[in-house]
Amino acid sequence: EPQWNHEAEFNVPDGNSRTFNVEVFDSDKIGKDKSLGKLALDITDVLSMDGEEGRWFPLTGVKSGKVLLSADFLDDLGRKASDILPSLLKGTDPNDPYGLAGRKNSLDSPGGRKSSSDPTNKSGYPGSSGDKSGHPSGLGVDGEDVELPSGKAKINLIKAKELIKADMIGKSDPYAVLSYGKQKQKTNVVKNT
């Protein structure tokens, strides 16, 4: 079982990405490193883990494999994750829980934004939700017109278990890549685990 205890810190928001990605690879001296599975976490998963000991998540794209993660979210406005979560789950704006929508933020696109009371606005056009970075927003739940909290997400990749054997001989040399928006971090390689 590889043990990384790697803490990755991401600035939120990054474009209008809601998804944190974790992918485990087997480090190979020759050829391309093989994927041992991946995990996509919505920002709501990260917020719901705030302050917990850790949670096992199954890796996708492989027969077996799980990663143990814990996460904390430090909100710029000093709110607790439990204060932010309901509005993200409902599709309302956490900065505007009463739906007053005073157009105080600068993310408005020239065409004006759809109101936050339309959580099904999945137009999928790049930049359709007033995103400054021009990042395409047609990615699943990404790009919905929900105000993401701003702050720092700390994701601690503790360890993995039941990883598939990628090497013919011996065990894998796993490492993981954690990414969110344009931010990316890599753990150390754990030899023969």
Side-chain angles (χ1 to χ4, degrees), residues 103 105 107-116 121 127-130 145:
R103 296 224 171 261
N105 83 45
L107 288 176
D108 285 6
S109 54
R113 293 169 14 143
K114 285 235 178 1
S115 83
S116 302
N121 169 28
S128 64
S129 56
D145 202 3

Side-chain angles (χ1 to χ4, degrees), residues 2-19:
Q3 187 135 354
W4 293 290
N5 287 318
H6 180 88
E7 188 169 279
E9 206 169 272
F10 297 104
N11 293 318
V12 179
D14 187 332
N16 46 3
S17 177
R18 290 177 57 123
T19 311

Side-chain angles (χ1 to χ4, degrees), residues 91-158:
T92 56
D93 182 340
N95 299 317
D96 183 19
Y98 304 109
L100 302 173
R103 296 224 171 261
K104 61 187 180 301
N105 83 45
S106 60
L107 288 176
D108 285 6
S109 54
R113 293 169 14 143
K114 285 235 178 1
S115 83
S116 302
S117 61
D118 176 21
T120 57
N121 169 28
K122 286 195 165 82
S123 62
Y125 294 110
S128 64
S129 56
D131 170 33
K132 292 193 285 248
S133 69
H135 184 67
S137 58
L139 309 167
V141 290
D142 280 4
E144 277 192 20
D145 202 3
V146 173
E147 211 49 48
L148 293 173
S150 87
K152 280 197 184 338
K154 287 185 174 180
I155 298 180
N156 187 2
L157 178 55
I158 302 163

Side-chain angles (χ1 to χ4, degrees), residues 1 26 165-174 191-193:
E1 292 192 355
D26 176 34
K165 278 198 173 64
D167 288 349
M168 306 288 216
I169 324 147
K171 297 186 173 172
S172 302
D173 302 323
K191 295 272 182 212
N192 286 317
T193 48

Side-chain angles (χ1 to χ4, degrees), residues 62-119:
V62 283
K63 285 201 202 78
S64 70
K66 294 184 174 112
V67 287
L68 181 60
L69 296 176
S70 66
D72 289 298
F73 188 79
L74 304 171
D75 183 64
D76 286 348
L77 303 176
R79 295 170 300 181
K80 294 196 290 295
S82 54
D83 298 338
I84 305 166
L85 205 48
S87 56
L88 281 170
L89 291 168
K90 279 207 307 282
T92 56
D93 182 340
N95 299 317
D96 183 19
Y98 304 109
L100 302 173
R103 296 224 171 261
K104 61 187 180 301
N105 83 45
S106 60
L107 288 176
D108 285 6
S109 54
R113 293 169 14 143
K114 285 235 178 1
S115 83
S116 302
S117 61
D118 176 21

